[in-house]
């Protein structure tokens, strides 16, 4: 009898242990337990710790309350300014209502992931490329609002959304690189021009100060020499004083030397002889014709007179002496010279005519 009671007691204890094992549940600190009794939601959400459920009648579902980090797959889209881009993001969310996360949606993780992808594609189509590259904070806020609106009914709270990377085509990257290079070059030129302007102003002020004190220019020259010599150069270049050049310029004579003027006269006579046209030969009327021609042409050059004298020397030797002034006017003066008709000379005694200026040209 006692043996049967002991066996029954052991069976009851084992049944109790089995029941306790089937009914006992442990909920962790970051979890919440949702109890469904015969498929119906119980109002009490089990907190962290040890809890009991009715085996076979109740079912406990644990919901993680931690912040979940979910990457959003890269989405291809066309921006508002017709640029094809590929954008990926990351979303941070957590469950704030365990019962709604279990009852309202089948799988809240999958639902949040799909909503994030759809919202990301919508943001790409509404934004410009410059906004995607430089104004991401505003886009992140807009994307967070778009995802959080339906997720509130699921018992899920969107903590934040971040756009990780924006992939551009290679052609667009090259265009943007050229644009950035041109902008950098423009800024460099502006800065260089501004520096030149400031330097010119300072140099003009320094020149005004040095003009009032000539010794300052000499001191500046010595400072420059010292600065160049400090670098241990093998060649030292010294500027030539401008005052010495001005002194040499004032010391030069302003008029040409007389030798140069005298040497220029024969050249002018040669040019006049070369440029003069030959006069027609005139037959001598009498022995005094060469003398009258020499007297009546005072404008002829000395060179022509010298060349004419040797030719008329024989005829003048045989000419009769000229009358004295008391006897009356000479045939080469006044109207008597014009009224007198020349007598033709014999062919043998007629001199050969030569063009004016031929003798000086031959001599030169």
């Amino acid at each position: 009898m006692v043996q049967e009671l002991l066996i029954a007691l052991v069976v009851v204890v084992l049944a109790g242990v089995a029941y306790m094992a089937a009914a006992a549940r442990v909920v962790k600190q970051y979890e919440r337990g949702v109890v469904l009794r015969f498929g119906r939601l119980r109002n009490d959400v089990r907190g962290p710790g040890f809890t009991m459920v009715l085996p076979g009648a109740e079912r406990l579902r644990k919901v993680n309350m931690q912040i979940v980090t979910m990457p959003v797959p890269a989405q291809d889209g066309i921006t508002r300014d017709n640029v094809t881009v590929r954008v990926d993001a990351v979303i941070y969310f957590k469950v704030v209502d365990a019962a709604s996360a279990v009852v309202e949606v089948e799988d809240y993780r999958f639902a949040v992931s799909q909503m994030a992808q759809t919202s990301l594609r919508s943001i790409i189509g509404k934004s410009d490329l410059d906004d995607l590259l430089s104004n991401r904070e505003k886009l992140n806020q807009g994307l967070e609002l778009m995802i959080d609106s339906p997720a509130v009914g699921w018992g899920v709270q969107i903590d934040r959304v971040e756009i990780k990377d924006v992939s551009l085509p290679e052609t667009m990257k090259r265009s943007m690189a050229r644009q950035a290079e041109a902008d950098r070059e423009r800024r460099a030129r502006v800065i260089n021009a501004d520096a030149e302007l400031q330097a010119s102003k300072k140099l003009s002020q320094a020149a005004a100060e040095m003009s009032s004190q000539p010794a300052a220019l000499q001191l500046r020259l010595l400072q420059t020499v010292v600065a160049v010599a400090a670098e241990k150069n093998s060649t030292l270049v010294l500027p030539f004083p401008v005052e010495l050049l001005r002194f040499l310029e004032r010391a030069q004579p302003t008029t040409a030397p007389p030798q140069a003027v005298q040497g220029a006269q024969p050249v002018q006579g040669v040019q006049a002889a070369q440029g003069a046209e030959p006069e027609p030969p005139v037959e001598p009327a009498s022995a005094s014709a060469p003398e009258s021609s020499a007297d009546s042409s005072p404008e002829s050059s000395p060179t022509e007179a010298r060349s004419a004298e040797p030719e008329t020397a024989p005829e003048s030797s045989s000419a009769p002496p000229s009358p004295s002034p008391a006897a009356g006017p000479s045939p080469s003066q006044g109207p008597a010279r014009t009224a007198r008709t020349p007598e033709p000379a014999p062919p043998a005694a007629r001199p050969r005519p030569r063009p004016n200026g031929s003798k000086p040209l031959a001599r030169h």
Side-chain angles (χ1 to χ4, degrees), residues 108-183:
Y108 65 91
R109 289 177 177 266
F110 181 75
V112 171
S113 176
Q114 295 298 317
M115 180 57 65
Q117 297 180 28
T118 306
S119 301
L120 183 58
R121 294 176 67 91
S122 178
I123 284 293
I124 293 174
K126 294 179 180 179
S127 304
D128 295 333
L129 180 61
D130 295 338
D131 295 336
L132 289 174
L133 297 176
S134 60
N135 196 11
R136 293 187 180 181
E137 292 294 334
K138 183 178 179 181
L139 297 180
N140 293 337
Q141 294 177 3
L143 188 59
E144 180 180 349
L145 292 175
M146 293 179 65
I147 301 174
D148 190 53
S149 298
V152 172
W154 305 335
V156 178
Q157 179 183 354
I158 305 300
D159 189 62
R160 63 185 306 174
V161 181
E162 294 289 342
I163 296 177
K164 291 197 304 184
D165 189 20
V166 178
S167 300
L168 300 175
E170 293 297 330
T171 56
M172 181 59 64
K173 289 182 180 179
R174 289 194 294 267
S175 300
M176 294 177 65
R178 289 195 299 268
Q179 179 183 1
E181 184 179 357
D183 184 64

Side-chain angles (χ1 to χ4, degrees), residues 1-354:
M1 186 69 181
V2 176
Q3 187 178 3
E4 293 178 355
L5 290 175
L6 290 176
I7 294 173
L9 181 60
V10 172
V11 171
V12 170
V13 172
L14 291 176
V17 171
Y19 177 80
M20 291 293 295
R25 296 290 186 272
V26 177
V27 180
K28 297 179 182 179
Q29 181 66 35
Y30 53 86
E31 294 176 342
R32 297 296 182 269
V34 179
V35 179
L36 299 174
R37 181 176 292 179
F38 297 109
R40 186 175 182 179
L41 178 67
R42 295 291 299 271
N43 294 329
D44 54 339
V45 177
R46 307 295 173 87
F50 182 80
T51 185
M52 297 290 291
V53 295
L54 296 176
E58 294 181 349
R59 185 179 177 184
L60 179 67
R61 291 192 59 178
K62 299 177 182 180
V63 180
N64 192 347
M65 305 297 290
Q66 290 178 322
I67 295 177
V68 180
T69 303
M70 179 183 294
V72 181
Q75 302 295 315
D76 294 331
I78 300 176
T79 60
R80 190 167 60 181
D81 50 355
N82 299 326
V83 179
T84 303
V85 294
R86 186 180 180 86
V87 183
D88 56 351
V90 60
I91 183 172
Y92 302 89
F93 67 95
K94 64 180 179 179
V95 178
V96 293
D97 189 357
S100 299
V102 173
V103 176
E104 298 296 335
V105 63
E106 180 183 2
D107 187 356
Y108 65 91
R109 289 177 177 266
F110 181 75
V112 171
S113 176
Q114 295 298 317
M115 180 57 65
Q117 297 180 28
T118 306
S119 301
L120 183 58
R121 294 176 67 91
S122 178
I123 284 293
I124 293 174
K126 294 179 180 179
S127 304
D128 295 333
L129 180 61
D130 295 338
D131 295 336
L132 289 174
L133 297 176
S134 60
N135 196 11
R136 293 187 180 181
E137 292 294 334
K138 183 178 179 181
L139 297 180
N140 293 337
Q141 294 177 3
L143 188 59
E144 180 180 349
L145 292 175
M146 293 179 65
I147 301 174
D148 190 53
S149 298
V152 172
W154 305 335
V156 178
Q157 179 183 354
I158 305 300
D159 189 62
R160 63 185 306 174
V161 181
E162 294 289 342
I163 296 177
K164 291 197 304 184
D165 189 20
V166 178
S167 300
L168 300 175
E170 293 297 330
T171 56
M172 181 59 64
K173 289 182 180 179
R174 289 194 294 267
S175 300
M176 294 177 65
R178 289 195 299 268
Q179 179 183 1
E181 184 179 357
D183 184 64
R184 290 287 181 179
E185 185 177 358
R186 178 185 62 84
R187 290 168 57 185
R189 290 184 179 180
V190 170
I191 293 173
N192 191 15
D194 191 13
E196 292 292 339
L197 178 60
Q198 295 179 6
S200 63
K201 290 182 179 179
K202 295 298 181 181
L203 288 176
S204 62
Q205 294 177 5
E209 292 292 336
M210 289 182 181
S211 62
S212 60
Q213 295 293 336
L217 182 61
Q218 189 67 20
L219 292 176
R220 181 58 184 163
L221 175 61
L222 295 177
Q223 291 179 359
T224 305
V225 172
V226 171
V228 174
E231 298 180 359
K232 298 180 181 180
N233 295 327
S234 59
T235 304
L236 182 61
V237 179
L238 294 178
F240 199 79
V242 182
E243 290 77 6
L244 183 58
L245 293 178
R246 294 176 180 173
F247 174 75
L248 295 176
E249 183 180 358
R250 288 194 299 266
Q252 289 180 357
T254 56
T255 59
Q259 291 81 3
V261 177
Q262 293 179 2
Q265 290 180 358
V267 177
Q268 294 177 359
V270 173
Q271 293 177 355
Q274 291 177 356
E277 297 181 357
E279 297 180 357
V282 179
E283 297 180 356
S286 60
S288 60
E291 297 179 1
S292 61
S293 62
D295 296 339
S296 62
S297 58
E299 297 180 357
S300 60
S301 61
T303 309
E304 295 177 359
R306 287 195 302 267
S307 61
E309 287 175 2
E311 296 177 1
T312 57
E315 297 179 0
S316 59
S317 60
S318 61
S322 60
S324 62
S330 62
S332 60
Q333 297 178 358
R337 183 181 60 182
T338 57
R340 187 175 182 181
T341 56
E343 296 179 359
R350 180 178 299 177
R352 181 179 298 176
R354 296 182 181 179

